[in-house]
Amino acid sequence: MRFVFLGLPGAGKGTQARFLSGRLQIPQVSTGDILREHVQEGTSLGIEARTYMDRGEYVPDDLVVRMVEERLQEPDATKGFILDGFPRTVPQARALDAVLAEVEAPLDGVVKFTITDPIAIRRIIGRFTCPVCKRTYHETWSPPENDRLCDDDASPLEKRTDEDALTVKRRLAIYRQQTEPLEGFYRARGLLIEVDAEAPAAEVSERLVRALAEASG
Ligand code: AP5
């Protein structure tokens, strides 16, 4: 199964991608996570990407497309994948089409998680992330058992560098300009599946499973 997850920053793409990845045993391919790893390791891609990410802007298409092409060639992606945060622009979507056409492996669905701006902002401002396993927590809605330590591996939780209120607002505006057009792009192909993502995470997971079952007929 091959899916794309769309939605505002904070919509819960990462949370639901982790859930579905475990359920279907297919990898979650998060371009945000891969880029942050490059930043952490100080690779040339990471050094270039950081300037865009810290401002809440998109990393140039050619860099991200190359990175995703390489990732999808890894053996675990041959049985399927969940693209979390890619594509984000029409040129990225066209590049993905070309990659998938080459291996005759079309997308099964594009899930759009819907939330309002105020909820997106509250979710991001309250988020903490484990730098090791990438699990996310929220100070109000899903706090860790021990203050600021990951429940799974006890690593100290961190805030990302793009989570201040001003940067979040810029990320929302950029999503509207550059990523929202993809909804029409995929709707026109009958691939768009909309999931209301304002409920608690477990309920959104149930809605996701139901929506995917309905879409597959
Ligand atoms: P990326 O890391 O992909 O960020 P994003 O898309 O802005 O999304 P987020 O990770 O902020 O949110 P999410 O929807 O995954 O929500 P989450 O599940 O964490 O990208 C970061 C940057 O990298 C971009 O700005 C750009 O610079 C660059 N980049 C990445 N991909 C790129 C591309 N393709 N092209 C160009 N540049 C690219 O949930 C958020 C919080 O809410 C968490 O605390 C979580 O615990 C909580 N939560 C989740 N669901 C619920 C729920 N249902 N109820 C209550 N709380 C919930």
Side-chain angles (χ1 to χ4, degrees):
M1 304 293 277
R2 289 168 294 275
F3 297 109
V4 163
F5 279 8
L6 289 179
L8 284 177
K13 301 179 295 297
T15 303
Q16 298 304 329
R18 259 185 303 283
F19 157 76
L20 196 65
S21 162
R23 190 177 166 111
L24 300 180
Q25 293 297 298
I26 52 176
Q28 168 193 10
V29 176
S30 159
T31 42
D33 284 347
I34 302 173
L35 287 165
R36 280 184 288 278
E37 275 166 25
H38 277 276
V39 170
Q40 213 170 355
E41 288 164 13
T43 66
S44 56
L45 169 59
I47 291 165
E48 184 162 1
R50 181 170 194 160
T51 58
Y52 297 97
M53 294 171 81
D54 284 353
R55 291 197 299 255
E57 293 168 9
Y58 287 172
V59 175
D61 289 337
D62 56 331
L63 297 181
V64 181
V65 166
R66 209 173 322 133
M67 191 181 86
V68 172
E69 277 173 357
E70 282 172 17
R71 177 64 185 89
L72 294 186
Q73 279 166 17
E74 288 178 28
D76 66 337
T78 54
K79 55 185 176 171
F81 49 76
I82 302 162
L83 283 170
D84 162 13
F86 180 93
R88 266 180 220 240
T89 64
V90 171
Q92 289 182 17
R94 294 198 196 288
L96 177 64
D97 277 349
V99 169
L100 297 182
E102 213 167 288
V103 289
E104 295 180 12
L107 289 173
D108 293 287
V110 175
V111 182
K112 150 91 195 289
F113 294 95
T114 307
I115 56 166
T116 57
D117 286 17
I119 297 278
I121 293 167
R122 281 189 66 193
R123 283 194 187 168
I124 294 179
I125 302 245
R127 172 172 55 192
F128 289 90
T129 307
C130 172
V132 176
C133 70
K134 316 295 180 215
R135 180 171 166 186
T136 58
Y137 297 84
H138 191 279
E139 61 188 9
T140 309
W141 294 309
S142 51
E145 280 169 23
N146 291 310
D147 192 34
R148 301 281 163 93
L149 296 180
C150 178
D151 292 348
D152 294 335
D153 53 38
S155 305
L157 302 178
E158 293 178 350
K159 284 296 286 170
R160 284 168 35 179
T161 52
D162 60 355
E163 293 180 322
D164 61 285
L166 212 69
T167 311
V168 173
K169 284 189 181 151
R170 186 173 311 133
R171 285 165 59 198
L172 294 177
I174 290 176
Y175 181 92
R176 294 249 143 69
Q177 281 163 9
Q178 300 199 40
T179 306
E180 230 165 47
L182 288 183
E183 293 172 23
F185 181 92
Y186 286 122
R187 189 179 287 113
R189 297 172 179 204
L191 284 173
L192 197 74
I193 301 163
E194 296 196 54
V195 173
D196 179 343
E198 291 218 339
E203 202 175 316
V204 177
S205 299
E206 284 173 21
R207 290 178 186 173
L208 171 64
V209 169
R210 269 201 307 273
L212 293 180
E214 278 166 23
S216 69

